[in-house]
Amino acid sequence: MEPAELERWRAAGRIAAEARELGAREAKPGVGRRELADRIEAYIRSRGAEPAFPSNISRNEEAAHFTPDPEDAVTLEEGDLVKIDVGAHLDGALADTAMTVEVGGGKRYENLVRAAVEGLEAGIAEVRAGVPVDRISRAIEGAVHRYGLKPVRNLTGHSIERYLLHAGKSIPNVAGMSAETLDEGEIIAIEPFATNGVGEIRNGPFGNILRFRRDPGPEAAELRPYFERFRTLPFALRYIPEAAGREKVRRARKYLQSYPVFVESGEGYVAQAEHTVRVLRDGAEVLTRRPGPP
Ligand code: MN
Ligand code: MN
């Protein structure tokens, strides 16, 4: 990777990390989900980046893929277990990172939060070029099991390429699922989910995240500006300020893919932790570490 290109990935990582911390700080009782998502994305834009995908504000037994729609009026409540999963990109250089907070600062779900964080750190500790992906998966699974909890087996981390959030290689959260190895210079997201449920998610209701399946082309010229803007990256109707534009996109079903919310199959609570990592010859460069004094 060219030095300037690498700097873009690093900068996207810093911005995403700052946005994640901001989201976690502001996830307080009484704050609207929509307000929180908007603030995170406004922060990303204020730093000169774009959201890589709509901020996921999934709660409790929702594991992932919920983002508020423009009319959302739900506010966070004391005791909600909230996953703040955010992404930033600079000219397609992407960062994807998540953390879990218990709204109101209680400690009821501390074991879930810790299991996800320790799973993530255990996974990162295995990263270097040539290592089987299964070593990472095994480390994650072991760390989560030590808390008497389960990793979610059908959600995985993933390789990332320019403008491609899920570039093809999966990083499972349980052992025995991958025969691949890590390549030097590769960018991956590692994202363990820990649950007190059955360790699996199912598709729930529509989660308000959209993506263009294909270029609408001349037959739907009114959609072109939106396609130009979002390309292959997921987006939300919240990004479109004008009501008429939202209506156009809402009606354009055949060009769009929509994502369901992932809900834990046993209605268990779910915690998630995620970092974007660059694979080095002899280790890992974590691009989304918590910013702050050295
Ligand atoms: Mn991810
Ligand atoms: Mn994520």
Side-chain angles (χ1 to χ4, degrees):
M1 200 183 285
E2 297 284 315
E5 172 74 358
L6 179 55
E7 277 319 304
R8 268 197 294 281
W9 286 85
R10 286 179 171 146
R14 279 193 296 274
I15 294 166
E18 289 163 8
R20 177 197 68 218
E21 298 296 321
L22 175 143
R25 260 193 326 271
E26 299 200 358
K28 299 218 168 84
V31 171
R33 291 187 296 196
R34 164 160 192 179
E35 207 181 335
L36 185 59
D38 286 348
R39 276 191 213 160
I40 291 167
E41 290 150 15
Y43 178 78
I44 291 169
R45 294 184 179 112
S46 79
R47 297 279 274 112
E50 284 293 322
F53 52 84
S55 309
N56 286 213
I57 315 280
S58 309
R59 296 179 307 159
N60 306 332
E61 67 283 342
E62 295 167 353
H65 287 181
F66 177 82
T67 202
D69 76 14
E71 287 79 37
D72 193 84
V74 170
T75 56
L76 300 181
E77 286 174 32
E78 177 110 27
D80 275 346
L81 190 63
V82 176
K83 276 71 65 183
I84 309 280
D85 188 347
V86 307
H89 83 91
L90 285 165
D91 196 24
L94 296 157
D96 180 6
T97 183
M99 66 184 283
T100 302
V101 290
E102 184 172 337
V103 175
K107 301 267 184 240
R108 259 176 89 186
Y109 304 111
E110 206 183 4
N111 62 336
L112 280 159
V113 174
R114 282 192 177 199
V117 169
E118 286 185 23
L120 175 57
E121 293 303 331
I124 290 170
E126 300 294 334
V127 171
R128 65 189 157 77
V131 155
V133 168
D134 197 51
R135 284 255 287 273
I136 296 161
S137 305
R138 211 169 278 281
I140 292 170
E141 183 172 28
V144 175
H145 279 167
R146 279 194 287 282
Y147 282 85
L149 296 165
K150 292 186 175 113
V152 173
R153 57 185 307 114
N154 54 349
L155 287 177
T156 70
H158 46 94
S159 56
I160 302 177
E161 290 170 15
R162 193 160 172 251
Y163 279 111
L164 270 183
L165 194 55
H166 291 251
K169 193 179 282 184
S170 294
I171 317 291
N173 293 316
V174 294
M177 310 265 280
S178 175
E180 301 196 85
T181 56
L182 295 182
D183 300 326
E184 186 173 352
E186 192 170 33
I187 310 272
I188 56 170
I190 303 180
E191 53 178 313
F193 293 79
T195 182
N196 55 13
V198 298
E200 223 175 78
I201 51 95
R202 60 174 172 82
N203 289 344
F206 174 50
N208 307 311
I209 298 178
L210 298 165
R211 195 171 79 111
F212 278 97
R213 256 181 232 287
R214 60 184 173 94
D215 186 337
E219 56 176 303
E222 77 282 5
L223 293 173
R224 282 299 303 186
Y226 303 105
F227 177 75
E228 296 288 345
R229 184 168 160 205
F230 305 123
R231 302 247 150 210
T232 55
L233 293 173
F235 67 97
L237 290 176
R238 287 184 293 102
Y239 292 6
I240 303 170
E242 65 287 0
R246 289 203 293 268
E247 218 23 66
K248 261 182 228 162
V249 171
R250 248 188 206 122
R251 280 197 309 263
R253 281 288 152 80
K254 69 173 169 172
Y255 302 104
L256 296 171
Q257 179 184 356
S258 65
Y259 295 81
V261 181
F262 293 145
V263 181
E264 215 285 324
S265 300
E267 307 297 316
Y269 271 36
V270 182
Q272 174 203 18
E274 178 175 22
H275 276 311
T276 296
V277 169
R278 190 163 76 101
V279 178
L280 306 178
R281 197 150 57 101
D282 50 10
E285 177 182 0
V286 181
L287 301 174
T288 49
R289 276 276 179 232
R290 185 181 191 156

